[in-house]
Structure formats: C-alpha cells, structure tokens
Amino acid sequence: MTIAVEHEAPEYVWTANNALVFVPRGMPPASYPVLLHLLGRQEPGGRCLLTHDAIATGIGVTRPKVTRALQHLGFARMVWKEGNGAYRLSPLIAGFRTPAEQLQTIAAMDDDDRFDHPDFQERYEQQVEAYEREKQAKAAQRQKRLEPPVDLATRRRT
C-alpha cells in the first residue's frame, strides 16, 4: 500500500540564518535552543506566536529557563516581545518572502536595535547589568516592607 504525501512549500523562501554568529558571550545555555525553536516556527517577517509553555515543551526545558532565555535574547536585541505569546525576531535573522523585503526592513531599523553593531557585546552586558541592578533594587524594596510597623502608641509616650 502506497500513501501519497503532498509536500507544501514553506511560507517564506528567504532567510539569513546567521543568528548564532551574533549570539553574545554569557547567554544562558537555554537561549540557543529557544532561538533555534523560534527560527523554525516563525511567520514571514519573524513573528512567532508561541507561549513559554509551548517553547518549553518543544525543546524540553523548564518554563523559567525559557523565560530567562527570552529575556536575554531581548537584551541582545535578537527577539522582541510583542504581547502575550507573541514575539518578533530581529529582521537581521528573520525569514522573509524575498531578499528585497528583508533588506528593506533592515534598512528601516533603528541603529539601537541592530546587533551587528561593533559594540554589541558591551551593549548586551550593559543591559544585563542594568537588569541585575533593577532586580536588586526591587528586592531591597521588598525587604523594607518586611520591617515591623512603627508602634505609634510607644512613640506618643516619648
């Protein structure tokens, strides 16, 4: 018995899959499979409609690792969050219908969003450091709230 299989052409035919050349040093290990997963499931133009759970299930890691990987890919300007379950790959690595479409989108990019910049590694590290400082400040604020409330009755007596 022979089963006929129809092959469908991919929705896009042009992509510059040089993404791993630009991945900065110090990225969490889960960033690589997350990026490859997004590259394989993108729409033309780089839009990806995937939840953290779907990505975690697809590559076999935990959801927190996916969250951290996406965060670092964002620091590197390789992936932008557009909404819940919606991400966009940078035009520098996204798939397009034609090379001209990709080049036009790249030309319209803001210089700050490019990761083929000479100081790319430094900008990534600055983003990570800023995030860590913000995280520490938030933790300090939470600690302040844990202090016992002021006893107003004792204060009035003095």
Side-chain angles (χ1 to χ4, degrees):
M1 180 167 143
T2 305
I3 299 174
V5 178
E6 292 183 30
H7 296 282
E8 290 185 29
E11 194 170 347
Y12 65 89
V13 293
W14 169 258
T15 185
N17 282 328
N18 55 359
L20 296 179
V21 171
F22 292 104
V23 174
R25 293 180 306 278
M27 292 276 271
S31 300
Y32 302 95
V34 167
L35 180 59
L36 291 173
H37 192 76
L38 293 174
L39 284 167
R41 282 154 186 82
Q42 65 179 307
E43 298 173 356
R47 187 164 182 236
C48 304
L49 299 175
L50 292 166
T51 63
H52 288 210
D53 288 330
I55 297 169
T57 301
I59 63 173
V61 298
T62 63
R63 189 180 185 286
K65 285 185 180 183
V66 170
T67 301
R68 185 163 185 252
L70 286 169
Q71 196 173 43
H72 280 261
L73 288 167
F75 295 155
R77 295 171 174 89
M78 298 181 99
V79 176
W80 296 291
K81 184 172 181 162
E82 290 189 330
N84 289 340
Y87 299 91
R88 181 157 312 268
L89 295 168
S90 168
L92 294 167
I93 58 173
F96 289 86
R97 290 184 179 93
T98 65
E101 187 179 336
Q102 182 183 31
L103 292 173
Q104 181 181 11
T105 307
I106 290 171
M109 286 179 71
D110 186 351
D111 191 48
D112 287 340
D113 290 333
R114 298 181 69 100
F115 55 79
D116 59 347
H117 202 275
D119 63 348
F120 167 67
Q121 182 69 36
E122 291 79 23
R123 292 189 326 178
Y124 167 75
E125 290 169 1
Q126 289 169 354
Q127 288 280 330
V128 172
E129 288 171 11
Y131 170 73
E132 291 298 327
R133 283 192 304 272
E134 182 181 322
K135 197 165 87 170
Q136 289 172 355
K138 286 181 181 178
Q141 284 292 86
R142 283 193 301 274
Q143 287 295 71
K144 283 184 180 178
R145 285 188 230 135
L146 295 177
E147 293 175 3
V150 176
D151 184 8
L152 296 178
T154 307
R155 264 195 168 170
R156 286 187 201 129
R157 285 186 219 138
T158 58

